[in-house]
């Protein structure tokens, strides 16, 4: 593996590339990335790096967002089939119908969405900034797409707004049931429960802390608790072990792994940098339309 990592490092230099990775990809991939973070951090980082090529180790909406924000850069993925199913769980028609039905409406899309949905939205959010951004919007009615669970979570934090929800969900986070968390708590009653807001409301209600992957990692590092029940994808364990090596972490849920994030491997990273094949390509009108929602997120969420 050391040889493979050395070859990737050499290719990275030759291609003038930077590696961005999400916390859910395999440990080995996180370990050789230049920057590892949550989806908001990675979208910001993509606008700051100076290299000509971004090798994005995550799922398609993340690489697509990097391209939307950096049309002049080459954005590569180790596996272009790594896609987030939730990103496709909203129809353009849902947005058009809501716009026709409601005056004073803001369409808010979770970053886990396609470029087409971003292009139809007023602002993009992630779980780390959704509450702050929605609170700051002048509109009273909020159509939140595609994730119903993050939408309901934010709606509970911002009760002064009227939310319209969509049916999307994440299969990894909805596989974490209240019963599973209760079972884990019976075994480890001293544990703190840390949950991603893509979990269902009954799980989030039980949590001592709810937030993005970065938020969960920071909470584990700074909390005086020693034991944690983690309600998100198991990839965050790599960073949890780094920031809190003496603490204990238990994961719950029937699907602890995001199969799409796990498609990213070192071998595919090397191949992507060698061949430079299948860079993200977006129609310029679509890209420009989608850029507005992402830039507004950076303005309001910074
Ligand atoms: P974060 O923004 O918290 O990293 O979440 C991304 C994601 O896909 C969660 O499933
Ligand atoms: Fe999508 Fe869920 Fe995987 Fe996150 S964990 S990328 S929301 S399928």
């Amino acid at each position: 593996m050391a040889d493979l990592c050395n070859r990737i490092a050499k290719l990275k230099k030759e291609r003038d590339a930077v590696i961005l990775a999400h916390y859910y990809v395999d440990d080995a991939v996180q370990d050789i990335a230049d920057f590892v973070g949550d989806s908001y951090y990675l979208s910001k980082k993509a606008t700051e790096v100076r290299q000509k090529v971004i090798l994005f180790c995550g799922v398609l909406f993340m690489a697509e967002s990097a391209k939307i924000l950096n049309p002049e850069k080459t954005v590569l993925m180790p596996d272009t089939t790594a896609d987030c199913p939730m990103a496709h769980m909203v129809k353009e028609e849902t947005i058009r119908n809501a716009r026709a039905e409601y005056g004073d409406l803001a369409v808010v899309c979770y970053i886990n969405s396609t470029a087409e949905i971003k292009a139809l939205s007023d602002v993009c959010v992630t779980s780390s900034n959704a509450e702050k951004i929605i609170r700051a919007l002048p509109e009273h009615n909020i159509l939140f797409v595609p994730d119903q669970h993050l939408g309901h979570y934010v709606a509970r934090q911002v009760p002064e707004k009227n939310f319209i929800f969509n049916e999307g969900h994440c299969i990894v986070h909805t596989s974490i049931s209240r019963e599973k968390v209760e079972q884990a708590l019976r075994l480890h009653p001293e544990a703190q429960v840390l949950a991603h807001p893509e979990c269902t409301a009954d799980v989030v209600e039980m949590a001592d802390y709810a937030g993005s992957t970065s938020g969960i990692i920071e909470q584990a590092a700074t909390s005086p608790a020693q034991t944690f029940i983690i309600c998100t994808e198991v990839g965050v364990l790599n960073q949890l072990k780094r920031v809190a090596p003496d603490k204990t972490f238990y994961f719950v849920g029937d699907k602890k792994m995001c199969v799409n994030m796990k498609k990213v491997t070192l071998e595919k990273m090397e191949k992507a940098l060698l061949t430079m094949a299948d860079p993200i390509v977006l129609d310029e009108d679509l890209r420009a339309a989608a850029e507005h929602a992402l830039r507004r997120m950076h303005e309001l969420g910074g």
Side-chain angles (χ1 to χ4, degrees):
M1 192 166 97
D3 284 354
L4 180 53
C5 291
N6 289 337
R7 291 202 300 274
I8 293 172
K10 188 162 170 275
L11 276 167
K12 210 174 67 164
K13 272 207 195 107
E14 284 167 17
R15 300 295 196 199
D16 189 23
V18 63
I19 301 174
L20 305 186
H22 189 265
Y23 290 125
Y24 292 165
V25 296
D26 272 344
D27 295 5
V29 176
Q30 291 187 40
D31 292 348
I32 64 156
D34 296 293
F35 301 99
V36 186
D38 70 2
S39 50
Y40 180 66
Y41 170 85
L42 293 173
S43 76
K44 275 298 270 185
K45 236 339 134 196
T47 64
E48 292 163 5
V49 293
R50 50 162 189 78
Q51 287 86 347
K52 285 201 219 94
V53 175
I54 297 176
L55 178 61
F56 213 116
C57 299
V59 286
L60 182 60
F61 75 82
M62 298 177 171
E64 217 171 55
S65 297
K67 182 66 183 178
I68 291 167
L69 291 162
N70 297 284
E72 75 294 347
K73 289 196 198 285
T74 301
V75 180
L76 298 170
M77 290 178 74
D79 186 328
T80 53
T81 71
D83 198 359
C84 169
M86 191 226 279
H88 302 275
M89 290 185 195
V90 55
K91 294 192 179 91
E92 294 184 16
E93 187 189 331
T94 303
I95 297 179
R96 294 206 177 92
N97 290 347
R99 287 213 191 272
E101 192 178 339
Y102 294 88
D104 193 25
L105 178 83
V107 177
V108 177
C109 69
Y110 191 19
I111 198 167
N112 299 41
S113 54
T114 60
E116 286 77 5
I117 293 299
K118 288 184 177 78
L120 293 175
S121 300
D122 297 302
V123 66
C124 189
V125 297
T126 75
S127 53
S128 68
N129 57 32
E131 182 186 332
K132 180 179 176 189
I133 290 175
I134 291 173
R135 226 185 266 285
L137 293 176
E139 293 86 358
H140 177 64
N141 299 308
I142 306 292
L143 171 66
F144 193 97
V145 299
D147 186 23
Q148 60 184 294
H149 300 295
L150 179 60
H152 281 281
Y153 172 73
V154 185
R156 292 195 294 281
Q157 317 298 313
V158 192
E160 65 274 22
K161 304 265 183 187
N162 176 47
F163 279 73
I164 304 123
F165 302 105
N166 172 76
E167 297 284 289
H169 67 279
C170 162
I171 50 167
V172 176
H173 289 87
T174 53
S175 84
I176 301 168
S177 65
R178 187 181 180 99
E179 293 69 39
K180 288 264 155 58
V181 180
E182 282 170 350
Q183 213 175 2
L185 270 174
R186 274 195 294 278
L187 293 171
H188 314 286
E190 74 290 6
Q192 267 200 356
V193 178
L194 312 184
H196 196 283
E198 284 179 20
C199 295
T200 54
D202 55 353
V203 169
V204 175
E205 269 164 24
M206 293 181 75
D208 298 285
Y209 171 85
S212 72
T213 50
S214 295
I216 288 173
I217 292 161
E218 194 186 332
Q219 178 66 18
T222 54
S223 161
Q226 286 301 307
T227 310
F228 299 87
I229 293 162
I230 305 290
C231 303
T232 192
E233 212 267 0
V234 73
V236 296
L237 183 60
N238 189 43
Q239 191 65 18
L240 287 170
K241 284 193 293 203
R242 248 177 235 197
V243 297
D246 302 327
K247 297 188 179 180
T248 309
F249 302 100
Y250 297 99
F251 284 77
V252 283
D254 294 330
K255 294 189 183 72
K256 296 188 183 71
M257 284 188 189
C258 174
V259 289
N260 282 288
M261 289 280 190
K262 300 310 190 221
K263 285 181 181 173
V264 181
T265 63
L266 293 177
E267 288 75 12
K268 291 180 197 171
M269 289 169 73
E270 180 188 26
K271 190 166 171 211
L273 288 173
L274 258 179
T275 62
M276 301 288 281
D278 300 325
I280 304 284
V281 178
L282 290 167
D283 167 79
E284 178 49 25
D285 288 347
L286 172 65
R287 188 208 63 76
E291 186 177 4
H292 168 74
L294 282 166
R295 294 265 176 222
R296 199 158 174 226
M297 170 176 78
H298 288 168
E299 275 160 37
L300 297 175

